[in-house]
Amino acid sequence: MKVPGSREEFESLARETMEKEGLTFVSAVYEVVDSLTRQELDKGEVHLACRMGCPLCCYQMVTCTSSEWEEIAHFLKGRWSMIRTLVNKARRFWLPYYLHNRHKPPSEEATLQVYKDWLGKPCIFLNTSGRCTIYKVRPIDCRTLTS
């Protein structure tokens, strides 16, 4: 796969992958990113920080787009046992945190504090075995952590 030189080329490659493989646009983007990442890894100049069974990166805040959230929601659809586990896990820490902080005015300092407070807390999608329960649809942030 030729490395795209522009956003338009990347989007074209993703749309081509989407049509050829019958994927959603987000899944096609993931496929292209994963393929390009494999290409770079094969050169031996870049190394992924993420390794199977190593959850170190899963103890920091990761962002994702609304489209990525939709892909995750679609992936979780019908997986009620997993959803209950995830909600209960998130509720134990984040509900009290939210209730304590909900009336604080939004500010850059408050945003930075959320990141600091998250540090060391496991991602809600990390299971007790240290594996990602949504690995197939994990966000771009999780796909591109390199060392």
Side-chain angles (χ1 to χ4, degrees), residues 7-136:
R7 184 192 62 79
E8 289 81 13
E9 288 177 10
F10 182 88
E11 183 178 338
S12 176
L13 191 56
R15 290 200 183 283
E16 182 182 306
T17 302
M18 180 178 79
E19 291 169 14
K20 186 170 77 176
E21 298 186 27
L23 301 171
T24 64
F25 183 71
V26 173
S27 290
V29 167
Y30 290 162
E31 184 65 34
V32 171
V33 167
D34 290 348
S35 179
L36 293 171
T37 301
R38 277 190 300 277
Q39 257 181 247
E40 289 302 309
L41 291 173
D42 289 346
K43 292 178 186 176
E45 298 169 9
V46 174
H47 303 282
L48 278 182
C50 184
R51 301 261 188 276
M52 179 69 81
C54 172
L56 186 61
C57 297
C58 304
Y59 286 83
Q60 58 186 319
M61 187 174 280
V62 171
T63 61
C64 67
T65 65
S66 58
S67 297
E68 288 175 312
W69 272 118
E70 287 175 21
E71 200 72 18
I72 291 167
H74 179 74
F75 177 79
L76 291 173
K77 194 173 187 174
R79 293 180 164 105
W80 300 114
S81 174
M82 183 188 296
I83 292 169
R84 266 191 301 279
T85 301
L86 294 171
V87 168
N88 286 331
K89 186 177 181 182
R91 185 180 58 195
R92 280 192 296 275
F93 176 75
W94 289 107
L95 183 59
Y97 183 86
Y98 167 75
L99 293 173
H100 177 72
N101 293 292
R102 69 180 167 186
H103 296 297
K104 292 182 180 175
S107 67
E108 188 174 320
E109 184 179 306
T111 301
L112 288 173
Q113 189 60 50
V114 171
Y115 279 90
K116 288 177 185 176
D117 293 342
W118 180 274
L119 196 59
K121 309 285 186 297
C123 173
I124 63 164
F125 298 115
L126 187 66
N127 70 17
T128 56
S129 303
R131 296 189 183 266
C132 179
T133 56
I134 61 160
Y135 190 81
K136 181 179 177 181

